[in-house]
Amino acid sequence: MKTYLITGGAGFIGSNFIHYMLKKHDDIRLVNLDSLTYAGNLENLKEAMEDSKHVFVKGDICDKELVSELFRKYDFDCVINFAAESHVDRSISNPEIFVRTNVMGTVNLLQRAKEAWYDDAANEWKVGKKYVQVSTDEVYGALGPEGYFTESTPIQPHSPYSSSKAGADHFVKAFYDTYGMPVNITRCSNNYGRYQFPEKLIPLMINNVKQHRQLPVYGDGMQIRDWLYVEDHCSAIDLVAKRGRIGEVYNIGGHNEKTNIYIVKTIIERLRERLADDQISEELIVHVQDRLGHDRRYGIDSDKIRKELGWYPQTSFEEGIVFTIDWYLENEAWLERVTSGDYRQYYEEMYAKKESRG
Ligand code: NAD
Ligand code: TYD
């Protein structure tokens, strides 16, 4: 039996990863460390909480004592760090927390892992250990209309979010270059699927369409993202943790580039059809003030992980978006609970600042 420390396992991708791993492997125990910020939700883990292969610990990745104690107690074979502040718009309003969680939290995990995994007497790393940093394509900055991000594209982040993720990536690389720590970094494009918090484009639009609310498209809506179904991201991380070459970075992407306006129109069309509701139309779209420093296009070249580890996405965008929309419709109680209270205040504050451009 191996034991993995999963951080941020109550968030969107982390909880999907926990479900994926519990279903896929009988011989891996998952210790899930999550401080349950606004984005973490134990409801995402309902079935996992009943599974003896999953242990939930509420706590902060920046907490030295707690993380050391967990290493002593569970003797982890692998750490997969999902925990982060993850929303670009929030990072524009409040960058400090991004530095604390994304940079300082990562450094704390690296340090505690090094203390536990480096055998000072033998002067070598214990065998079979690995640290995986879950990063993002946003660290590469933005693309023009041509070309793709490869693993050797220079790191040129623009937003406070992507800058904090880039900072964390540099520390992971530094631990490999300096101490020879066994690490991998994954850099994935935009994910979508169940349990995504409705501050991100796809669930926010689904939620607004359902309520006949305006659909706030930033600027001209022609920005491009490369969308990947979340389970395909999970399978890639599982493979990298098991078979990724030590010290390597792996890009993960769907080769599925869409403009934001295309995504919004697809959601409108599917919901109008599914709910047989004529009030759902493109008239709900409102172009609002653009995001500051808005990256125009992301596009991932994931040839390396395909060639080295045989990974490729299993779910097409056409299938994945239907699963996702249907999941949000079937899980109304989940959506209602996460959008009550603090979310309402967040929404009013964030979108009041973005005046309509007609
Ligand atoms: P999310 O915001 O949904 O979840 C983040 C989780 O981390 C939450 O459960 C939160 O409670 C937890 N957390 C935050 N601060 C913490 C702390 N100090 N200690 C412990 N737990 C803490 O994010 P997500 O979309 O699931 O993203 C997960 C990871 O994947 C992030 O590192 C993100 O940068 C990366 N990523 C996300 C995407 C995407 O499209 N969502 C794409 C590429 C990479
Ligand atoms: P988001 O889901 O926040 O992910 P990221 O910024 O990490 O790519 O946004 C995806 C795209 O959608 C991005 O170009 C910004 C845009 N967007 C809107 O146009 N309106 C919105 O209300 C939101 C949340 C995002």
Side-chain angles (χ1 to χ4, degrees):
M1 193 86 171
K2 294 207 171 219
T3 306
Y4 286 17
L5 172 62
I6 308 297
T7 68
F12 163 47
I13 306 173
S15 62
N16 276 285
F17 185 74
I18 300 260
H19 290 297
Y20 176 88
M21 294 293 281
L22 291 176
K23 206 162 136 199
K24 180 106 197 275
H25 302 285
D26 284 329
D27 56 350
I28 301 179
R29 177 171 56 163
L30 306 169
V31 176
N32 176 1
L33 174 65
D34 194 302
S35 61
L36 299 179
T37 67
Y38 77 93
N41 184 354
L42 283 182
E43 250 187 280
N44 302 355
L45 292 166
K46 242 189 215 150
E47 307 88 55
M49 296 304 261
E50 309 292 314
D51 193 318
S52 59
K53 299 197 305 296
H54 172 242
V55 180
F56 180 78
V57 179
K58 182 175 185 302
D60 191 328
I61 58 167
C62 299
D63 184 334
K64 289 184 189 179
E65 291 308 312
L66 174 63
V67 176
S68 292
E69 189 191 314
L70 292 176
F71 269 95
R72 278 194 296 274
K73 184 164 175 190
Y74 293 104
D75 187 22
F76 298 120
D77 298 287
C78 184
V79 174
I80 306 184
N81 182 24
F82 292 91
E85 288 293 332
S86 68
H87 188 38
V88 174
D89 292 323
R90 286 186 193 251
S91 81
I92 293 169
S93 323
N94 182 17
E96 282 98 336
I97 180 76
F98 285 72
V99 180
R100 181 188 180 274
T101 299
N102 299 0
V103 184
M104 302 293 284
T106 297
V107 175
N108 185 44
L109 292 172
L110 289 165
Q111 273 287 84
R112 305 297 71 87
K114 177 170 166 278
E115 282 164 9
W117 291 346
Y118 194 75
D119 183 342
D120 285 317
N123 213 13
E124 62 189 15
W125 290 88
K126 293 180 185 165
V127 177
K129 307 292 188 187
K130 185 183 274 185
Y131 178 97
V132 179
Q133 177 73 3
V134 179
S135 187
T136 163
D137 59 355
E138 301 190 27
V139 300
Y140 296 123
L143 292 164
E146 305 291 325
Y148 296 97
F149 297 133
T150 70
E151 288 80 359
S152 50
T153 300
I155 302 296
Q156 277 183 324
H158 297 129
S159 72
Y161 162 68
S162 53
S163 301
S164 67
K165 293 295 289 185
D169 285 11
H170 284 310
F171 273 99
V172 177
K173 183 176 180 297
F175 270 62
Y176 172 69
D177 291 344
T178 308
Y179 311 113
M181 183 164 173
V183 302
N184 282 127
I185 297 173
T186 60
R187 296 193 179 127
C188 189
S189 58
N190 287 61
N191 284 213
Y192 68 100
R194 65 178 177 168
Y195 303 131
Q196 187 168 31
F197 193 77
E199 64 186 354
K200 305 279 170 69
L201 180 71
I202 290 182
L204 184 141
M205 294 298 168
I206 296 172
N207 186 36
N208 282 17
V209 169
K210 269 184 61 195
Q211 300 180 49
H212 305 140
R213 290 184 79 162
Q214 291 188 335
L215 308 177
V217 170
Y218 299 168
D220 63 5
M222 295 306 287
Q223 302 81 5
I224 290 174
R225 298 292 181 263
D226 178 358
W227 294 93
L228 182 71
Y229 190 57
V230 63
E231 276 196 21
D232 283 318
H233 188 188
C234 295
S235 69
I237 292 171
D238 182 22
L239 270 179
V240 170
K242 268 196 299 212
R243 305 214 327 262
R245 278 190 298 132
I246 298 296
E248 293 294 315
V249 175
Y250 291 94
N251 281 355
I252 304 167
H255 269 303
N256 182 59
E257 291 183 42
K258 306 281 185 219
T259 60
N260 293 340
I261 196 76
Y262 172 87
I263 298 283
V264 174
K265 288 183 178 174
T266 303
I267 292 170
I268 293 171
E269 209 178 295
R270 170 76 188 160
L271 279 171
R272 184 172 49 209
E273 198 186 291
R274 172 81 209 267
L275 300 174
D277 180 344
D278 289 340
Q279 285 186 65
I280 296 177
S281 80
E282 290 181 11
E283 283 180 21
L284 293 172
I285 295 174
V286 186
H287 288 270
V288 298
Q289 222 165 51
D290 210 349
R291 176 185 276 175
L292 296 176
H294 200 170
D295 287 339
R296 196 69 180 165
R297 173 175 166 247
Y298 302 141
I300 275 272
D301 176 341
S302 45
D303 251 26
K304 177 171 169 181
I305 188 168
R306 188 173 55 76
K307 287 192 180 131
E308 282 190 20
L309 305 181
W311 175 87
Y312 58 92
Q314 306 272 339
T315 307
S316 70
F317 182 73
E318 290 65 32
E319 282 174 289
I321 193 72
V322 168
F323 294 158
T324 304
I325 291 173
D326 289 356
W327 186 85
Y328 280 92
L329 290 179
E330 284 152 21
N331 289 274
E332 218 158 48
W334 182 95
L335 192 57
E336 250 159 48
R337 271 194 289 277
V338 301
T339 53
S340 61
D342 288 351
Y343 178 81
R344 290 206 184 128
Q345 195 187 340
Y346 161 81
Y347 194 93
E348 297 315 326
E349 281 171 14
M350 185 63 74
Y351 289 89
K353 281 188 262 165
K354 293 184 183 292
E355 281 165 40
S356 159
R357 297 192 320 163

